[in-house]
Structures are given as structure tokens and as C-alpha cells.
Amino acid sequence: YKFLVICFVLIGIYDSNLTSVAEASLTDGLTGHWSFDGKNVNWRSNTATDTSGFSRHLSLTNMSTSSAPITGKNGQGLFFDGSNDVATNATAISSFISASDATIAVWIKPTNQAATNVSVFNTAGVIADSGGYIGIHKGVVSSFDSVDRIWAYNWDGNEDKVGFTFTTNEWVHAVLVHTGGQLYIYKNGQ
């Protein structure tokens, strides 16, 4: 149905106090980071460690300890079966980030065509807020066209969505940026 492989997840907010990009480091504004590398996944407790310093660890549910860990784009990744494998956090993504400025980045390797849905919110959440306010999704949106896409989605009183096409079984880096009331999605840095 909707198989996804996720390798690296980073959630952060832009720090407007920085005067130049040269001053920024990977950890500036970082609010959550899950690498899924072996040392950061505890299969005894079914937990993926948040290495951002905020201890927003993910609970891994219905994941096989033998088939879920896979070689990722950078280090180890996790294979999600598209049926019932999930990584969850008790805190909504929308509370990690500012309502006006947010960045969410993820490496994914889509392995098949997703089901068709009427809205982005109903497609498979790659990393999505349980409240439906912000996230990166994958799927076909019938109200848009019949093409499987990776989508950026944001609800801030208005529904914003933008997507891009991808090649099945190839790694793609997707970055959602919401700033100044505008929503952007970048594919492999462009």
C-alpha cells in the first residue's frame, strides 16, 4: 500500500537572531533530531533517541527488530511497512516549532505507489503532526491530479500544500519550509 523507508529526520526552527548563514550550525534552532542509527535505537524499549538535547524520543510501534533496521542514505534507516509501523512522540510537532517559521527535513525512499486520497492531510504521513497542522506526506491527491507526490502541508487557518514527483526506489531528501506565511518544499536541495 504505502511502503516508506525513512533514514534521517530533523525538525527545527529558524533562529531570526542569527545575522548570517555562516554563523549558523546544524544545531542552531534544532528542536528534534532522530538519526535512526543503531546506537540511537533501543529495541528493548522500542525507542528512537532524540539527539537534539530535548529528549523527545520516539516510540516505535509494530516494528520488526530484524526487518525494520536497514541501510539508510546516511547510516542506518528504518523500514516502515505502510500498514501499522509507526514512530510517535507524545508531543505534537506543531508544539516543537513556531507557527510562522518551521523547517522539517527527511530522507525517504518510497517503494511503491500510494493510495489515492481527497486531500494531502489524508495521505500517508512521512512525518506529520497528529493534529494535522504541519507535515510531509506521500500520496496521490485526487483533487490535485493523479500523480504520486511527496507533499508539504501546513494548516495555519489556511490550507497550504505543495508537492513534487519522485522516482520509486530512489532516495530523496525532502525539506518543508514554512516562513512568512509561505510554504515551500525542496527536493534534493532545489
Side-chain angles (χ1 to χ4, degrees), residues 84-164:
N84 61 0
D85 291 359
V86 293
T88 58
N89 183 284
T91 306
I93 293 171
S94 55
S95 67
F96 288 21
I97 56 181
S98 138
S100 59
D101 295 313
T103 301
I104 301 173
V106 61
W107 279 101
I108 63 175
K109 184 179 180 182
T111 59
N112 72 336
Q113 175 84 18
T116 300
N117 289 282
V118 295
S119 70
V120 173
F121 175 73
N122 292 327
T123 60
V126 175
I127 179 166
D129 189 70
S130 60
Y133 296 103
I134 193 164
I136 296 176
H137 295 255
K138 178 191 171 292
V140 178
V141 177
S142 60
S143 62
F144 191 77
D145 63 18
S146 60
V147 178
D148 199 3
R149 297 178 187 274
I150 295 173
W151 296 92
Y153 178 84
N154 184 67
W155 174 263
D156 56 4
N158 294 306
E159 180 183 57
D160 299 318
K161 61 182 179 283
V162 61
F164 63 75

Side-chain angles (χ1 to χ4, degrees), residues 47-86:
T47 305
T49 302
D50 172 18
T51 58
S52 72
F54 287 99
S55 298
R56 294 176 168 137
H57 310 306
L58 298 177
S59 296
L60 305 174
T61 305
N62 298 317
M63 310 230 13
S64 165
T65 59
S66 60
S67 63
I70 53 101
T71 301
K73 180 69 176 174
N74 298 310
Q76 180 175 293
L78 294 179
F79 177 77
F80 292 79
D81 70 6
S83 173
N84 61 0
D85 291 359
V86 293

